[in-house]
Amino acid sequence: ENLAKRLPNWDDHTPFGPDEDPVTYIMEKLGSIFPVMQQTWTEKHSDKALVRFVLYGLGAHRIETAIENDTKYYVVRTNALSPLPVRAGFARY
């Protein structure tokens, strides 16, 4: 059975206020099932954060290297996600 069809599919894009902490909010909602945080990421939108997330998180076991024009790149291929539907406002995989 396709679990994605049974889960709620809505987003609230209201940004957190300057005095609100997104991590505290999530911990209040999911604290009983959320894993213990081992690291603190002060800047979540930087290139460094993206590299860290891919190398040590999402792509740790899927990382490949590719060479293009004599330059070596690290690549995490998400081709398997391409058939999945993408909601309006989001880019395709």
Side-chain angles (χ1 to χ4, degrees):
E1 184 173 348
N2 188 343
L3 183 59
K5 291 181 180 177
R6 298 179 62 199
L7 296 174
N9 190 4
W10 59 272
D11 293 313
D12 179 2
H13 295 286
T14 306
F16 286 94
D19 59 334
E20 295 178 303
D21 180 12
V23 174
T24 301
Y25 174 82
I26 292 298
M27 292 305 287
E28 287 173 357
K29 301 295 183 193
L30 302 175
S32 61
I33 61 170
F34 204 78
V36 176
M37 294 179 62
Q38 303 291 328
Q39 306 169 25
T40 302
W41 291 26
T42 55
E43 176 51 62
K44 297 174 181 69
H45 301 284
S46 67
D47 289 344
K48 183 177 178 180
L50 177 61
V51 168
R52 185 176 174 189
F53 175 68
V54 171
L55 285 177
Y56 302 110
L58 167 77
H61 64 288
R62 301 182 63 100
I63 197 91
E64 300 175 19
T65 56
I67 298 175
E68 189 174 303
N69 298 326
D70 295 327
T71 302
K72 185 176 184 178
Y73 296 96
Y74 292 101
V75 179
V76 176
R77 300 191 191 282
T78 58
N79 301 17
L81 302 175
S82 64
L84 297 176
V86 178
R87 288 177 279 166
F90 290 89
R92 297 217 49 86
Y93 297 99

Coordinates of all heavy atoms in Angstrom, one line a residue:
E1 N 0.8 -1.2 0.0 CA 0.0 0.0 0.0 C 0.9 1.2 0.0 O 1.9 1.3 0.6 CB -0.9 0.0 1.2 CG -1.9 1.1 1.2 CD -2.9 1.0 2.4 OE1 -2.9 -0.1 3.0 OE2 -3.5 2.0 2.6
N2 N 0.4 2.3 -0.7 CA 1.2 3.5 -0.8 C 0.9 4.4 0.5 O -0.2 5.0 0.6 CB 0.8 4.2 -2.0 CG 1.7 5.4 -2.3 OD1 2.4 5.9 -1.4 ND2 1.7 5.9 -3.5
L3 N 1.9 4.4 1.4 CA 1.7 5.2 2.6 C 1.5 6.7 2.4 O 0.8 7.3 3.1 CB 2.9 4.9 3.5 CG 2.8 5.6 4.9 CD1 1.6 5.1 5.7 CD2 4.1 5.3 5.7
A4 N 2.2 7.2 1.3 CA 2.1 8.6 1.0 C 0.6 9.1 0.8 O 0.3 10.2 1.1 CB 3.0 9.0 -0.1
K5 N -0.2 8.2 0.3 CA -1.6 8.6 0.0 C -2.4 8.6 1.2 O -3.5 9.3 1.3 CB -2.2 7.6 -1.0 CG -1.6 7.6 -2.4 CD -2.3 6.7 -3.3 CE -1.7 6.8 -4.7 NZ -2.2 5.8 -5.6
R6 N -1.9 8.0 2.3 CA -2.7 8.0 3.6 C -2.3 9.1 4.5 O -3.0 9.4 5.5 CB -2.5 6.7 4.3 CG -3.0 5.5 3.4 CD -2.8 4.2 4.0 NE -3.6 4.1 5.3 CZ -3.3 3.2 6.3 NH1 -2.3 2.4 6.1 NH2 -4.0 3.3 7.4
L7 N -1.1 9.7 4.3 CA -0.6 10.8 5.2 C -1.2 12.1 4.8 O -1.5 12.4 3.6 CB 0.9 10.8 5.1 CG 1.6 9.6 5.6 CD1 3.1 9.7 5.3 CD2 1.4 9.3 7.1
P8 N -1.4 13.0 5.8 CA -1.8 14.4 5.4 C -0.9 15.1 4.5 O 0.3 14.9 4.6 CB -2.0 15.1 6.8 CG -1.2 14.2 7.7 CD -1.1 12.8 7.2
N9 N -1.4 15.9 3.6 CA -0.6 16.5 2.6 C -0.9 18.0 2.6 O -1.6 18.5 1.7 CB -0.8 15.9 1.2 CG 0.2 16.4 0.2 OD1 1.1 17.1 0.5 ND2 0.0 16.0 -1.0
W10 N -0.4 18.7 3.6 CA -0.6 20.2 3.6 C 0.6 20.8 4.3 O 1.4 20.2 5.0 CB -1.8 20.5 4.4 CG -1.9 20.0 5.8 CD1 -2.3 18.8 6.2 CD2 -1.4 20.7 6.9 NE1 -2.1 18.7 7.6 CE2 -1.6 19.9 8.1 CE3 -0.8 22.0 7.2 CZ2 -1.2 20.2 9.3 CZ3 -0.4 22.3 8.5 CH2 -0.6 21.5 9.5
D11 N 0.9 22.0 4.0 CA 2.0 22.8 4.6 C 1.5 24.1 5.1 O 0.6 24.7 4.5 CB 3.1 23.1 3.5 CG 3.7 21.8 3.0 OD1 4.1 21.0 3.9 OD2 3.8 21.6 1.8
D12 N 2.1 24.5 6.2 CA 1.9 25.8 6.8 C 3.2 26.6 6.6 O 4.2 26.3 7.3 CB 1.4 25.8 8.2 CG 1.2 27.1 8.9 OD1 1.4 28.2 8.1 OD2 0.9 27.2 10.1
H13 N 3.3 27.5 5.7 CA 4.5 28.2 5.4 C 4.7 29.5 6.2 O 5.4 30.4 5.8 CB 4.6 28.5 3.9 CG 4.7 27.2 3.1 ND1 5.9 26.5 3.1 CD2 3.8 26.6 2.4 CE1 5.7 25.4 2.3 NE2 4.5 25.4 1.9
T14 N 3.9 29.7 7.3 CA 4.0 30.8 8.1 C 5.4 30.8 8.8 O 5.7 29.9 9.5 CB 2.9 30.9 9.2 OG1 1.7 30.7 8.6 CG2 3.0 32.1 10.0
P15 N 6.2 31.9 8.5 CA 7.5 31.8 9.1 C 7.5 32.0 10.6 O 6.6 32.6 11.2 CB 8.2 33.0 8.4 CG 7.2 33.9 7.9 CD 5.9 33.0 7.7
F16 N 8.5 31.5 11.3 CA 8.7 31.7 12.7 C 9.0 33.1 13.0 O 9.8 33.8 12.2 CB 9.8 30.8 13.3 CG 9.3 29.3 13.4 CD1 9.6 28.5 12.3 CD2 8.6 28.9 14.4 CE1 9.3 27.1 12.4 CE2 8.2 27.5 14.5 CZ 8.5 26.7 13.5
G17 N 8.5 33.6 14.0 CA 8.8 35.0 14.4 C 10.2 35.1 15.0 O 10.9 34.1 15.3
P18 N 10.8 36.3 15.1 CA 12.1 36.5 15.6 C 12.3 36.0 17.0 O 13.4 35.6 17.4 CB 12.4 38.0 15.5 CG 11.1 38.6 15.2 CD 10.1 37.6 14.8
D19 N 11.3 35.9 17.8 CA 11.4 35.4 19.2 C 11.0 34.0 19.3 O 10.9 33.4 20.4 CB 10.5 36.3 20.1 CG 9.1 36.3 19.7 OD1 8.8 36.1 18.5 OD2 8.2 36.5 20.6
E20 N 10.7 33.3 18.2 CA 10.4 31.9 18.2 C 11.5 31.0 17.7 O 12.3 31.3 16.8 CB 9.2 31.6 17.2 CG 7.9 32.3 17.7 CD 6.8 32.1 16.7 OE1 7.0 32.4 15.5 OE2 5.7 31.5 17.1
D21 N 11.7 29.9 18.4 CA 12.8 28.9 18.0 C 12.2 27.7 17.4 O 11.5 26.9 18.0 CB 13.5 28.5 19.3 CG 14.7 27.6 19.0 OD1 15.0 27.4 17.9 OD2 15.2 27.0 20.0
P22 N 12.5 27.5 16.1 CA 11.9 26.3 15.4 C 12.3 25.0 16.0 O 11.5 24.1 16.0 CB 12.5 26.4 14.0 CG 13.1 27.8 13.8 CD 13.3 28.3 15.2
V23 N 13.5 24.9 16.5 CA 13.9 23.6 17.1 C 13.1 23.3 18.4 O 12.6 22.2 18.6 CB 15.4 23.6 17.4 CG1 15.8 22.4 18.2 CG2 16.2 23.8 16.2
T24 N 12.9 24.3 19.2 CA 12.1 24.2 20.4 C 10.7 23.8 20.0 O 10.1 22.9 20.6 CB 12.0 25.5 21.2 OG1 13.4 25.8 21.6 CG2 11.2 25.3 22.5
Y25 N 10.1 24.4 19.0 CA 8.7 24.0 18.5 C 8.7 22.5 18.1 O 7.7 21.8 18.6 CB 8.4 24.9 17.3 CG 7.1 24.6 16.7 CD1 5.9 25.0 17.2 CD2 7.0 23.8 15.6 CE1 4.7 24.7 16.7 CE2 5.8 23.4 15.0 CZ 4.6 23.9 15.5 OH 3.4 23.5 15.0
I26 N 9.6 22.1 17.3 CA 9.6 20.7 16.9 C 9.8 19.8 18.1 O 9.1 18.7 18.2 CB 10.7 20.4 15.8 CG1 10.3 21.2 14.5 CG2 10.8 18.9 15.5 CD1 9.0 20.7 13.9
M27 N 10.7 20.1 19.0 CA 10.9 19.2 20.2 C 9.7 19.1 21.0 O 9.4 18.1 21.6 CB 12.1 19.8 21.0 CG 13.4 19.6 20.2 SD 13.8 17.9 19.7 CE 14.2 17.2 21.2
E28 N 8.9 20.2 21.1 CA 7.6 20.2 21.9 C 6.6 19.3 21.2 O 5.9 18.6 21.9 CB 7.1 21.6 22.0 CG 7.8 22.5 23.0 CD 7.3 23.9 23.0 OE1 6.4 24.2 22.2 OE2 7.9 24.7 23.8
K29 N 6.6 19.3 19.9 CA 5.6 18.4 19.1 C 6.1 17.0 19.0 O 5.3 16.1 19.0 CB 5.4 19.0 17.7 CG 4.9 20.4 17.7 CD 3.6 20.5 18.2 CE 3.1 22.0 18.1 NZ 1.9 22.2 18.9
L30 N 7.4 16.8 18.8 CA 7.9 15.4 18.5 C 8.9 14.9 19.5 O 9.6 13.9 19.3 CB 8.5 15.4 17.1 CG 7.7 15.8 15.9 CD1 8.5 15.9 14.6 CD2 6.5 14.9 15.8
G31 N 9.1 15.6 20.6 CA 10.1 15.3 21.6 C 10.1 13.9 22.0 O 11.2 13.3 22.2
S32 N 9.0 13.2 22.1 CA 9.0 11.8 22.6 C 9.5 10.8 21.6 O 9.9 9.7 21.9 CB 7.6 11.4 23.0 OG 6.7 11.5 21.8
I33 N 9.6 11.2 20.3 CA 10.1 10.3 19.3 C 11.3 10.9 18.5 O 11.9 10.2 17.8 CB 9.0 10.0 18.2 CG1 8.5 11.2 17.5 CG2 7.8 9.2 18.9 CD1 7.6 10.9 16.3
F34 N 11.6 12.1 18.8 CA 12.7 12.8 18.1 C 14.0 12.3 18.7 O 14.2 12.2 20.0 CB 12.6 14.3 18.3 CG 13.3 15.1 17.3 CD1 12.7 15.3 16.0 CD2 14.5 15.7 17.5 CE1 13.3 16.0 15.0 CE2 15.1 16.5 16.5 CZ 14.6 16.6 15.3
P35 N 15.0 12.0 17.9 CA 16.3 11.5 18.5 C 17.0 12.6 19.3 O 16.8 13.8 19.0 CB 17.1 11.1 17.3 CG 16.5 11.8 16.1 CD 15.0 12.0 16.5
V36 N 17.8 12.2 20.2 CA 18.6 13.1 20.9 C 19.6 13.9 20.0 O 20.2 13.2 19.1 CB 19.5 12.4 22.0 CG1 20.4 13.4 22.7 CG2 18.6 11.7 23.0
M37 N 19.6 15.2 20.1 CA 20.4 16.0 19.2 C 21.9 15.9 19.6 O 22.2 16.2 20.7 CB 19.9 17.4 19.1 CG 18.6 17.5 18.5 SD 17.9 19.2 18.4 CE 19.1 20.0 17.4
Q38 N 22.8 15.5 18.7 CA 24.2 15.4 18.9 C 25.0 16.6 18.5 O 26.1 16.8 19.0 CB 24.7 14.1 18.2 CG 24.0 12.8 18.5 CD 24.3 12.4 20.0 OE1 25.4 12.6 20.5 NE2 23.3 11.7 20.6
Q39 N 24.4 17.4 17.6 CA 25.1 18.5 17.0 C 24.2 19.7 17.0 O 23.0 19.6 17.0 CB 25.5 18.2 15.6 CG 26.3 16.9 15.5 CD 26.5 16.5 14.0 OE1 26.4 17.4 13.1 NE2 26.6 15.3 13.8
T40 N 24.8 20.9 17.0 CA 24.1 22.1 16.8 C 24.5 22.8 15.5 O 25.6 23.0 15.3 CB 24.4 23.1 18.0 OG1 24.0 22.4 19.2 CG2 23.5 24.4 17.9
W41 N 23.5 23.1 14.7 CA 23.7 23.8 13.4 C 23.2 25.2 13.6 O 22.0 25.4 13.6 CB 23.0 23.1 12.3 CG 23.5 21.7 12.0 CD1 24.2 20.9 12.8 CD2 23.4 21.1 10.7 NE1 24.5 19.7 12.1 CE2 24.1 19.8 10.8 CE3 22.9 21.4 9.5 CZ2 24.2 18.9 9.8 CZ3 23.0 20.5 8.5 CH2 23.6 19.3 8.6
T42 N 24.1 26.1 13.7 CA 23.7 27.5 13.8 C 23.2 28.1 12.5 O 22.4 29.0 12.5 CB 24.8 28.3 14.4 OG1 26.0 28.2 13.6 CG2 25.2 27.9 15.8
E43 N 23.8 27.7 11.4 CA 23.4 28.2 10.1 C 22.9 27.1 9.2 O 23.7 26.3 8.7 CB 24.6 28.9 9.4 CG 24.3 29.5 8.0 CD 23.1 30.3 7.9 OE1 23.0 31.3 8.6 OE2 22.2 29.9 7.2
K44 N 21.6 27.0 9.1 CA 21.0 25.8 8.3 C 20.9 26.1 6.8 O 20.5 25.2 6.1 CB 19.7 25.5 9.0 CG 19.8 25.0 10.4 CD 18.4 24.8 11.0 CE 18.5 24.4 12.4 NZ 19.0 25.4 13.3
H45 N 21.1 27.3 6.4 CA 20.8 27.6 5.0 C 22.1 27.9 4.2 O 22.1 28.3 3.0 CB 19.9 28.9 4.9 CG 18.6 28.6 5.6 ND1 17.6 27.9 5.0 CD2 18.1 29.0 6.8 CE1 16.6 27.8 5.8 NE2 16.9 28.5 6.9
S46 N 23.3 27.6 4.8 CA 24.5 27.9 4.1 C 24.9 26.7 3.2 O 24.4 25.6 3.3 CB 25.6 28.2 5.1 OG 25.9 27.0 5.8
D47 N 25.9 27.0 2.3 CA 26.4 25.9 1.5 C 27.1 24.9 2.4 O 27.0 23.7 2.1 CB 27.4 26.5 0.5 CG 26.8 27.3 -0.6 OD1 25.5 27.2 -0.8 OD2 27.5 28.0 -1.3
K48 N 27.7 25.3 3.4 CA 28.4 24.4 4.3 C 27.4 23.4 5.0 O 27.7 22.3 5.1 CB 29.2 25.2 5.4 CG 30.0 24.3 6.3 CD 30.8 25.2 7.3 CE 31.5 24.3 8.3 NZ 32.3 25.1 9.3
A49 N 26.3 24.0 5.4 CA 25.2 23.2 6.0 C 24.7 22.1 5.0 O 24.5 21.0 5.4 CB 24.1 24.0 6.5
L50 N 24.5 22.5 3.8 CA 24.0 21.6 2.7 C 25.0 20.5 2.5 O 24.7 19.3 2.5 CB 23.8 22.3 1.4 CG 23.3 21.4 0.3 CD1 22.0 20.7 0.6 CD2 23.2 22.2 -1.0
V51 N 26.3 20.8 2.4 CA 27.3 19.8 2.3 C 27.3 18.8 3.5 O 27.4 17.6 3.3 CB 28.7 20.5 2.1 CG1 29.8 19.4 2.2 CG2 28.8 21.2 0.8
R52 N 27.3 19.4 4.6 CA 27.3 18.6 5.9 C 26.1 17.6 5.9 O 26.2 16.5 6.2 CB 27.2 19.5 7.1 CG 27.4 18.9 8.4 CD 27.4 19.9 9.5 NE 27.4 19.4 10.8 CZ 27.3 20.1 11.9 NH1 27.2 21.4 11.8 NH2 27.3 19.5 13.0
F53 N 24.9 18.2 5.5 CA 23.7 17.3 5.5 C 23.8 16.2 4.5 O 23.5 15.0 4.8 CB 22.5 18.2 5.2 CG 21.2 17.4 5.0 CD1 20.6 16.8 6.1 CD2 20.6 17.3 3.8 CE1 19.4 16.1 5.9 CE2 19.4 16.6 3.6 CZ 18.8 16.0 4.7
V54 N 24.3 16.5 3.3 CA 24.4 15.4 2.3 C 25.5 14.4 2.7 O 25.3 13.2 2.6 CB 24.7 16.0 0.9 CG1 25.0 15.0 -0.1 CG2 23.4 16.8 0.5
L55 N 26.7 14.9 3.1 CA 27.8 14.0 3.3 C 27.5 13.1 4.6 O 27.9 11.9 4.6 CB 29.1 14.7 3.5 CG 29.7 15.3 2.3 CD1 31.0 16.1 2.6 CD2 30.1 14.2 1.3
Y56 N 26.9 13.6 5.6 CA 26.8 12.9 6.8 C 25.3 12.5 7.1 O 25.0 11.8 8.1 CB 27.3 13.7 8.0 CG 28.7 14.1 7.8 CD1 29.0 15.4 7.6 CD2 29.7 13.2 7.9 CE1 30.4 15.8 7.4 CE2 31.0 13.5 7.7 CZ 31.3 14.8 7.5 OH 32.7 15.2 7.3
G57 N 24.4 12.9 6.3 CA 23.0 12.5 6.5 C 22.4 11.8 5.3 O 22.7 10.6 5.1
L58 N 21.7 12.5 4.5 CA 20.9 12.0 3.4 C 21.8 11.1 2.5 O 21.4 10.0 2.1 CB 20.4 13.1 2.6 CG 19.8 12.8 1.2 CD1 18.5 12.2 1.3 CD2 19.7 14.1 0.3
G59 N 23.0 11.6 2.1 CA 23.7 10.9 1.1 C 24.9 10.1 1.6 O 25.8 9.7 0.8
A60 N 25.1 10.0 2.9 CA 26.3 9.3 3.4 C 26.6 8.0 2.7 O 27.7 7.6 2.5 CB 26.2 9.2 4.9
H61 N 25.5 7.2 2.4 CA 25.7 5.9 1.8 C 25.5 5.9 0.3 O 25.6 4.9 -0.3 CB 24.8 4.9 2.5 CG 23.4 5.2 2.3 ND1 22.7 6.2 2.9 CD2 22.4 4.6 1.5 CE1 21.5 6.3 2.5 NE2 21.3 5.3 1.7
R62 N 25.2 7.1 -0.2 CA 24.8 7.2 -1.7 C 25.8 8.1 -2.4 O 25.6 8.4 -3.6 CB 23.4 7.7 -1.8 CG 22.4 6.8 -1.2 CD 21.0 7.3 -1.4 NE 20.7 7.2 -2.9 CZ 20.0 6.3 -3.4 NH1 19.5 5.3 -2.7 NH2 19.8 6.4 -4.7
I63 N 26.8 8.6 -1.8 CA 27.7 9.6 -2.4 C 28.5 8.9 -3.5 O 28.9 7.8 -3.4 CB 28.6 10.3 -1.3 CG1 29.2 11.5 -1.9 CG2 29.6 9.3 -0.8 CD1 28.4 12.7 -1.6
E64 N 28.6 9.6 -4.6 CA 29.4 9.2 -5.7 C 30.3 10.3 -6.1 O 30.1 11.5 -5.8 CB 28.5 8.8 -6.9 CG 27.5 7.7 -6.7 CD 26.6 7.5 -7.9 OE1 27.0 8.0 -9.0 OE2 25.5 7.0 -7.7
T65 N 31.3 10.0 -6.9 CA 32.1 11.1 -7.5 C 31.9 11.1 -9.0 O 31.6 10.1 -9.6 CB 33.6 10.9 -7.2 OG1 34.0 9.6 -7.7 CG2 33.9 11.0 -5.8
A66 N 32.0 12.3 -9.6 CA 31.8 12.5 -11.0 C 32.9 13.5 -11.4 O 33.2 14.4 -10.7 CB 30.4 13.0 -11.3
I67 N 33.4 13.3 -12.6 CA 34.4 14.2 -13.1 C 33.9 14.8 -14.4 O 33.4 14.2 -15.3 CB 35.8 13.5 -13.4 CG1 36.3 12.9 -12.1 CG2 36.8 14.4 -14.1 CD1 37.6 12.0 -12.3
E68 N 33.9 16.2 -14.4 CA 33.4 16.9 -15.5 C 34.4 18.1 -15.8 O 34.7 18.9 -14.9 CB 32.0 17.5 -15.1 CG 31.3 18.1 -16.3 CD 29.9 18.5 -15.9 OE1 29.1 17.7 -15.5 OE2 29.6 19.7 -16.1
N69 N 34.9 18.1 -17.0 CA 35.9 19.1 -17.4 C 37.1 19.2 -16.4 O 37.5 20.2 -15.9 CB 35.3 20.5 -17.5 CG 34.2 20.6 -18.5 OD1 34.3 19.9 -19.6 ND2 33.1 21.3 -18.3
D70 N 37.6 18.0 -16.1 CA 38.7 17.8 -15.2 C 38.5 18.3 -13.8 O 39.4 18.6 -13.0 CB 40.0 18.5 -15.8 CG 40.5 17.9 -17.1 OD1 40.3 16.7 -17.2 OD2 40.9 18.6 -17.9
T71 N 37.2 18.5 -13.4 CA 36.9 18.8 -12.0 C 36.1 17.7 -11.4 O 35.2 17.2 -12.0 CB 36.0 20.1 -12.0 OG1 36.8 21.2 -12.7 CG2 35.7 20.5 -10.6
K72 N 36.5 17.3 -10.2 CA 35.9 16.2 -9.5 C 34.8 16.8 -8.6 O 35.0 17.8 -7.8 CB 36.9 15.5 -8.6 CG 36.4 14.3 -7.9 CD 37.5 13.6 -7.2 CE 37.1 12.3 -6.5 NZ 38.2 11.7 -5.8
Y73 N 33.6 16.2 -8.7 CA 32.4 16.6 -7.9 C 31.9 15.5 -7.1 O 32.0 14.3 -7.5 CB 31.3 17.1 -8.9 CG 31.6 18.3 -9.7 CD1 32.0 18.2 -11.0 CD2 31.4 19.6 -9.2 CE1 32.3 19.3 -11.7 CE2 31.7 20.7 -9.9 CZ 32.1 20.6 -11.2 OH 32.4 21.7 -11.9
Y74 N 31.3 15.8 -6.0 CA 30.6 14.8 -5.2 C 29.1 14.9 -5.6 O 28.5 16.0 -5.7 CB 30.7 15.0 -3.7 CG 32.1 14.7 -3.3 CD1 33.0 15.7 -3.0 CD2 32.6 13.4 -3.1 CE1 34.3 15.5 -2.6 CE2 33.9 13.1 -2.7 CZ 34.7 14.2 -2.4 OH 36.0 14.0 -2.0
V75 N 28.5 13.7 -5.8 CA 27.1 13.7 -6.4 C 26.2 12.7 -5.6 O 26.7 11.6 -5.2 CB 27.1 13.2 -7.8 CG1 25.7 13.2 -8.4 CG2 28.0 14.1 -8.7
V76 N 25.0 13.2 -5.2 CA 24.0 12.3 -4.7 C 22.9 12.2 -5.7 O 22.2 13.2 -5.9 CB 23.5 12.7 -3.3 CG1 22.4 11.8 -2.8 CG2 24.7 12.8 -2.3
R77 N 22.8 11.1 -6.4 CA 21.7 11.0 -7.4 C 20.4 10.7 -6.8 O 20.2 9.8 -6.0 CB 22.1 9.9 -8.4 CG 23.5 10.2 -9.1 CD 23.7 9.3 -10.2 NE 25.1 9.4 -10.7 CZ 25.6 10.4 -11.4 NH1 24.8 11.4 -11.8 NH2 26.9 10.4 -11.8
T78 N 19.4 11.5 -7.2 CA 18.0 11.4 -6.7 C 17.1 11.0 -7.8 O 15.9 11.2 -7.8 CB 17.5 12.7 -6.0 OG1 17.6 13.7 -7.0 CG2 18.3 13.0 -4.8
N79 N 17.7 10.3 -8.9 CA 16.9 10.0 -10.1 C 15.7 9.1 -9.7 O 14.6 9.2 -10.3 CB 17.7 9.2 -11.1 CG 18.9 10.0 -11.5 OD1 19.3 11.0 -10.9 ND2 19.5 9.6 -12.6
A80 N 15.8 8.2 -8.7 CA 14.7 7.3 -8.3 C 13.5 8.1 -7.8 O 12.4 7.6 -7.8 CB 15.2 6.4 -7.2
L81 N 13.7 9.4 -7.4 CA 12.6 10.2 -6.9 C 11.8 10.9 -8.0 O 10.8 11.4 -7.8 CB 13.1 11.2 -5.9 CG 13.9 10.7 -4.7 CD1 14.5 11.9 -3.9 CD2 13.0 9.8 -3.8
S82 N 12.4 10.8 -9.2 CA 11.8 11.6 -10.3 C 10.3 11.3 -10.6 O 9.6 12.1 -11.0 CB 12.6 11.5 -11.6 OG 12.7 10.2 -12.0
P83 N 9.9 10.0 -10.4 CA 8.5 9.7 -10.7 C 7.5 10.3 -9.7 O 6.3 10.3 -9.9 CB 8.4 8.2 -10.8 CG 9.7 7.7 -10.6 CD 10.6 8.8 -10.2
L84 N 8.0 10.7 -8.5 CA 7.1 11.1 -7.5 C 6.4 12.4 -7.8 O 7.1 13.3 -8.4 CB 7.9 11.2 -6.2 CG 8.5 10.0 -5.6 CD1 9.3 10.3 -4.4 CD2 7.4 9.0 -5.3
P85 N 5.2 12.6 -7.4 CA 4.5 13.9 -7.7 C 5.2 15.0 -6.8 O 5.6 14.7 -5.7 CB 3.1 13.6 -7.3 CG 3.1 12.5 -6.3 CD 4.3 11.7 -6.7
V86 N 5.2 16.2 -7.4 CA 5.8 17.3 -6.7 C 4.7 18.4 -6.6 O 4.1 18.8 -7.6 CB 7.0 17.9 -7.4 CG1 7.6 19.1 -6.7 CG2 8.1 16.8 -7.5
R87 N 4.4 18.9 -5.4 CA 3.4 19.9 -5.3 C 3.8 21.2 -5.9 O 4.9 21.5 -6.1 CB 3.1 20.1 -3.8 CG 2.4 18.9 -3.2 CD 2.2 19.1 -1.7 NE 3.4 18.7 -1.1 CZ 3.7 19.0 0.2 NH1 2.9 19.6 0.9 NH2 4.9 18.6 0.7
A88 N 2.8 22.0 -6.2 CA 3.0 23.3 -6.8 C 3.9 24.2 -5.9 O 3.8 24.1 -4.7 CB 1.7 24.0 -7.0
G89 N 4.8 24.9 -6.6 CA 5.8 25.7 -5.8 C 7.1 25.0 -5.5 O 8.0 25.7 -5.0
F90 N 7.2 23.7 -5.7 CA 8.4 23.0 -5.4 C 9.1 22.5 -6.7 O 8.4 22.2 -7.7 CB 8.1 21.8 -4.6 CG 7.7 22.1 -3.2 CD1 6.4 22.3 -2.9 CD2 8.7 22.2 -2.2 CE1 6.0 22.6 -1.6 CE2 8.3 22.5 -0.9 CZ 7.0 22.7 -0.6
A91 N 10.4 22.5 -6.7 CA 11.1 22.0 -7.9 C 11.1 20.5 -8.0 O 11.0 19.8 -7.0 CB 12.5 22.5 -7.9
R92 N 11.2 20.0 -9.2 CA 11.3 18.5 -9.4 C 12.6 18.0 -8.9 O 13.6 18.7 -8.8 CB 11.2 18.2 -10.9 CG 9.8 18.6 -11.4 CD 9.2 17.7 -12.4 NE 9.2 16.3 -12.1 CZ 8.2 15.7 -11.4 NH1 7.2 16.4 -10.9 NH2 8.3 14.4 -11.1
Y93 N 12.7 16.7 -8.6 CA 13.9 16.1 -8.1 C 14.9 16.0 -9.3 O 14.5 15.9 -10.4 CB 13.6 14.7 -7.6 CG 12.7 14.8 -6.3 CD1 11.4 14.6 -6.4 CD2 13.3 15.1 -5.1 CE1 10.6 14.6 -5.3 CE2 12.5 15.1 -4.0 CZ 11.1 14.9 -4.1 OH 10.3 15.0 -3.0

